Amino acid sequence: MKLKSFIVTFAFVLTTGMLYLVGHMFTIPRLMFHHEYTVNGNGFFISIGSLVPLIIGLIVCFFAEKIYIYKFR
């Protein structure tokens, strides 16, 4: 079971990291992580980047786990 969790985690980290890297290399806004944090005397502003690579990474993990279970059953 430890190998399965390693494979699924590795697939998630690799997929998400590669998508964020491609987004920054080719300036694709849907794949870029952008973080802003501003504190003024008037107010407070916070912003975060795209979550699309995280969602795609979770989908890849789901399929990686299904393939692992199917092959080693």
Side-chain angles (χ1 to χ4, degrees):
M1 278 314 235
K2 289 185 180 191
L3 182 63
K4 181 185 90 165
S5 64
F6 174 75
I7 289 173
V8 171
T9 304
F10 184 71
F12 174 72
V13 170
L14 183 68
T15 303
T16 305
M18 290 300 293
L19 286 173
Y20 277 130
L21 181 68
V22 167
H24 279 285
M25 285 177 60
F26 298 109
T27 56
I28 303 170
R30 292 259 182 215
L31 298 179
M32 290 177 67
F33 185 77
H34 180 73
H35 177 267
E36 287 183 16
Y37 174 78
T38 306
V39 176
N40 298 10
N42 299 12
F44 176 79
F45 176 76
I46 190 168
S47 175
I48 193 167
S50 177
L51 297 177
V52 173
L54 292 174
I55 294 169
I56 293 172
L58 288 173
I59 292 169
V60 168
C61 282
F62 175 76
F63 286 116
E65 181 179 8
K66 292 296 180 187
I67 290 170
Y68 179 82
I69 290 172
Y70 177 74
K71 285 195 176 210
F72 291 103
R73 189 180 331 165

